[in-house]
Amino acid sequence: TPIDLNCPVMEVDFWDAYAYAKWKGRELPTEEEWEKAARGTKGLKYPWGEEMDPKKVNSNADYDADHPDAKGKIDGYNFWNPVDRVKGDKSPFDVIGMAGNVREWTNTWETAKRKPIVKGGSFNSNEVRLDQRTEVDPSAISESIGFRTISRTPPVKK
């Protein structure tokens, strides 16, 4: 997949994601904030409902590491996709790409293990349920981990 401005940020460790968010006057979401944005008020398993549908998410249904130029036959992508292309991966709050594409750093840490929590599924993940959580070393870099930021300031009304 060619990389352009509409692709997810990836291959950044927790510290770079955290620093970028601070630089922009924003934050990484907590695990709870991330889940609320993804699962809505009903606590859905997937942004679209309770049943897995591989056509609605960029997961490993099409992933083939040996053929990076291959086009996916199920969701349309082999690796990551532009963030607004897989229309079915939209939460009840209209947040796009929470189940697949790339997993995301949160600002919640597993205290005993001293590792931040990563949420969501990715293009090379079997499991894309929104309630899954993974503790990841904060210095880890992966093409399947990215981030999103949040603001605590309401948008300016025009």
Side-chain angles (χ1 to χ4, degrees), residues 85-121:
R85 296 287 166 80
V86 180
K87 303 293 185 198
D89 189 358
K90 184 189 285 189
S91 82
F93 293 118
D94 291 332
V95 184
I96 298 171
M98 301 294 277
N101 211 14
V102 297
R103 298 181 299 156
E104 299 175 2
W105 293 110
T106 71
N107 202 18
T108 299
W109 286 65
E110 179 61 54
T111 308
K113 296 181 182 178
R114 297 187 180 151
K115 294 180 178 179
I117 303 299
V118 171
K119 296 293 290 180

Side-chain angles (χ1 to χ4, degrees), residues 58-103:
N58 184 2
S59 67
N60 81 337
D62 291 321
Y63 178 63
D64 183 353
D66 295 332
H67 299 94
D69 294 331
K71 300 289 183 205
K73 293 180 176 142
I74 298 171
D75 61 40
Y77 296 93
N78 185 15
F79 282 80
W80 62 86
N81 62 275
V83 296
D84 61 353
R85 296 287 166 80
V86 180
K87 303 293 185 198
D89 189 358
K90 184 189 285 189
S91 82
F93 293 118
D94 291 332
V95 184
I96 298 171
M98 301 294 277
N101 211 14
V102 297
R103 298 181 299 156

Side-chain angles (χ1 to χ4, degrees), residues 31-44:
E31 179 179 18
E32 293 81 10
E33 290 167 332
W34 190 98
E35 278 204 34
K36 180 73 171 222
R39 300 176 76 187
T41 57
K42 295 180 181 177
L44 300 171

Side-chain angles (χ1 to χ4, degrees), residues 31 34-35 39 44-46 119-120 127-133:
E31 179 179 18
W34 190 98
E35 278 204 34
R39 300 176 76 187
L44 300 171
K45 290 180 187 175
Y46 305 97
K119 296 293 290 180
E127 186 55 68
V128 297
R129 282 179 58 128
L130 299 171
D131 60 350
Q132 73 174 345
R133 64 195 312 258

